[in-house]
Amino acid sequence: MSGPETASAAGAVPAVAAVAAPDRIPVMVPWLGEEEAEAAADAVLSGWVAQGPRVAEFERAFAERVGAEHGIAVSSCTTALHLALIALELGPGDEVVVPSLSFIATANVVRYVGARPVFADVEEATGNLTAATVDAVRTPRTKAVLAVHQGGVPADVHALRAACADWGLALVEDAACGIGATVGGKSVGHGALLAAWSFHPRKVITTGEGGMLTTDDAEWARRLRRLREHGMNVSAAERHASGKPIVESYLEVGYNYRMTDIQAAVGLVQLGKLDEIVTRRRALAARYTELLAEVPGLTPVRDPGYGQGNFQSYWVLPAEGFPVGRDELLAALAAAGVSARRGIMASHLEPAYAGHGSAPLPVTERISRDSLILPLFHTMTEAQQDRVVAVLREQAGG
Ligand SMILES: *Cc1c(COP(=O)(O)O)cnc(C)c1O
């Protein structure tokens, strides 16, 4: 754990290095340490481990960070998206436009409520929906659009909001990867009807598993809190705190989508590190981009003109006619001890969507088939980056 390859680049505790063999470069490692461990231990020792005061504090801090009025913590981004679609009262007969180029949960949540996901293509530069790609597939049954900030590249939400307002559609932001990304200097999710966030370890900050909904609408916030807790009119934490007997009632069929106080304790520490994490990811991404400028035929993801990404995923798209295919590139990287990943999946090509049907999605299929995600994590060293780039340079024939 003490060689130059695993030396901490920014003073992180080395707990993370235990995950990988010393010589292997992982694709992503959450930046967790003593502080998170102590916060989790404090929650355990407090005797209150289910949803309670730490969840409430995490919700307030998170909502403030993204500039939303209300935060509703839940068990994952997938459950957050499910509740968002319930809040919009979507169901059978309704269509929701989603990118196929996304983790499959984006499409699946539409099916949870009995509505139909309609796949739209994305633009090559950002991997995101645009007003034009949505316009190409919307129908009179379309009720909402689920826009992803893919890999932490912000979608052009101002253009999408304006178009959706014209068309009478609700715009929900799948900001699973988006914490720390900005549009026009403001956090993604700022001003959103509903935005859903993930704290899975593959994302920028983590609580192990976990998610959040943010909204400015007090009525929705009230209903979402109820829906995540069995439809109860009063939360278990409130009942406990009141000191008087309160008999709860169940106003509608809800779910158990709660986050625990142990997770929220970790989340509060992670949120405090967010700026440092994003700064580090952006610096590493900029260095990759500089090094890759000398490798012919590889186009890296970059900031769009209207905003800044957090580089939750740093992907490169090989030019058509690159000397080796994507899977060979991944194999060459693996042989050199580098864990890279295929690019973002195309949901419409998965067996779960066989026979579902969609418009042609050429950009989605090209990005999904050819792109790859390079390792990028908080404690990554320059020497590790150099090793990754050396393999790519060799494969490019340079
Ligand atoms: C990871 C991810 C999800 C799912 O998040 P969970 O917290 O794991 O449920 C949803 N949408 C996108 C775009 C994601 O990247």
Side-chain angles (χ1 to χ4, degrees), residues 216-237:
D216 292 338
D217 187 298
E219 270 312 306
W220 272 347
R222 210 182 339 270
R223 176 141 188 244
L224 291 165
R225 284 182 204 293
R226 187 164 91 203
L227 282 166
R228 69 149 170 213
E229 196 167 12
H230 305 289
M232 275 194 277
N233 64 335
V234 52
S235 75

Side-chain angles (χ1 to χ4, degrees), residues 131 134 144-145 159-171:
V134 173
V145 176
L160 284 166
R161 277 179 204 159
C164 285
D166 281 351
W167 300 328
L169 305 181
L171 179 68

